[in-house]
Amino acid sequence: METFQNQVIGYGGFVEWPSRSPDLVPLDFLLWGHIKGQAYATPPPTLQDLRRRITDACASVPPAMLHNVRREIQSRVQMCIVANGEHFEQ
């Protein structure tokens, strides 16, 4: 609020939210794990090679995996709604 002088864009005003909510980030353990596995299958010799590998891994993500990520996000959002925004176990 101090940084933006109380000018916050959002529905219903300002709502505190954890900077990194583990309940809503399936990309961290589903998609990024896949990309990291491909990018680091062998140690990249250069930073340029690592960048190319990451780009190639992103381009080769199968549509079924993206569908699973979307389904997982929807499921987690629903669990968060049921828990009334509180922490929940899966």
Side-chain angles (χ1 to χ4, degrees), residues 46-83:
T46 66
L47 181 58
Q48 183 177 7
D49 188 57
L50 175 60
R51 288 180 178 149
R52 182 190 54 75
R53 289 183 189 191
I54 292 170
T55 300
D56 292 348
C58 289
S60 70
V61 171
M65 180 175 283
L66 296 176
H67 175 74
N68 290 341
V69 169
R70 182 183 53 81
R71 189 179 67 226
E72 184 66 24
I73 289 171
Q74 288 173 325
S75 172
R76 287 170 178 260
V77 167
Q78 185 59 41
M79 287 188 279
C80 191
I81 291 168
V82 168

Side-chain angles (χ1 to χ4, degrees), residues 16-64:
E16 292 209 22
W17 193 261
S19 61
R20 188 164 166 79
S21 176
D23 299 330
L24 300 174
V25 288
L27 295 178
D28 280 352
F29 64 87
L30 187 62
L31 188 59
W32 300 148
H34 171 77
I35 291 171
K36 183 179 177 182
Q38 288 191 349
Y40 286 101
T42 59
T46 66
L47 181 58
Q48 183 177 7
D49 188 57
L50 175 60
R51 288 180 178 149
R52 182 190 54 75
R53 289 183 189 191
I54 292 170
T55 300
D56 292 348
C58 289
S60 70
V61 171

